[in-house]
Amino acid sequence: MGIFGKGKSREEKAAKIAEQMAGGKGFYGRMTRATLGSEDYAKLQQTLGAYNSGATVRQLLATGVPTIPAVVVSISDTGKMVNYDPVVDLVLQLTGVTADPVMLQTIVSKLRIPRAGDQVLLIADPGNPGGYLYAGDGATA
């Protein structure tokens, strides 16, 4: 314990800085916004959103939220990487539903990149009614 109490962990500090960068708030957010153009700043926000959705999915799975099976219709690379894992655009068809395909952008493990025809799992997005979050292929590694 330090003189002024318990400090924040590195992970907590990094998460706060990333949140400031994505929101354009605080010193880091304003500097990021000032140095990047509007197009690059929008890409940064999308990438950080995809990263944060992965943490949300892990929390929801841990609490026992039901998953929804879906089949991959198509997958395309966005050219972005987060922690050396690719950010991809997925087009998914919910299993047993004749509705329009679901499109989402998410991070996938480079060791478990889904292919067209593979079955994956989704979770209903609590922050976006009618939206979904990618929950992987259901295999644990």
Side-chain angles (χ1 to χ4, degrees), residues 56-115:
T56 302
V57 166
R58 287 190 297 277
Q59 290 173 348
L60 291 172
L61 286 173
T63 60
V65 172
T67 58
I68 303 161
V71 175
V72 178
V73 176
S74 70
I75 182 171
S76 59
D77 188 17
T78 62
K80 301 177 211 170
M81 302 279 273
V82 175
N83 291 338
Y84 300 106
D85 286 331
V87 177
V88 297
D89 289 321
L90 288 172
V91 178
L92 305 163
Q93 181 65 47
L94 300 179
T95 304
V97 179
T98 59
D100 292 335
V102 175
M103 297 187 316
L104 56 98
Q105 187 175 87
T106 188
I107 299 171
V108 296
S109 168
K110 65 182 168 191
L111 301 175
R112 296 187 162 233
I113 298 174
R115 297 181 183 144

Side-chain angles (χ1 to χ4, degrees), residues 31 38 50 54 58 71 87 121 125 133:
M31 289 303 293
S38 61
R58 287 190 297 277
V71 175
V87 177
L121 300 174
D125 187 355
L133 297 172

Side-chain angles (χ1 to χ4, degrees), residues 119-132:
Q119 184 165 344
V120 297
L121 300 174
L122 302 177
I123 294 177
D125 187 355
N128 179 15
Y132 297 96

Side-chain angles (χ1 to χ4, degrees), residues 8-72:
K8 293 183 181 178
S9 70
R10 286 184 178 191
E11 291 81 17
E12 291 171 332
K13 289 177 185 177
K16 183 177 179 181
I17 290 172
E19 184 180 319
Q20 288 178 347
M21 287 173 56
K25 297 176 182 161
F27 174 76
Y28 293 106
R30 288 191 301 271
M31 289 303 293
T32 302
R33 192 176 231 171
T35 55
L36 296 177
S38 61
E39 186 176 313
D40 290 333
Y41 187 71
K43 289 179 184 178
L44 172 74
Q45 286 180 315
Q46 287 178 341
T47 302
L48 288 173
Y51 175 77
N52 289 334
S53 73
T56 302
V57 166
R58 287 190 297 277
Q59 290 173 348
L60 291 172
L61 286 173
T63 60
V65 172
T67 58
I68 303 161
V71 175
V72 178

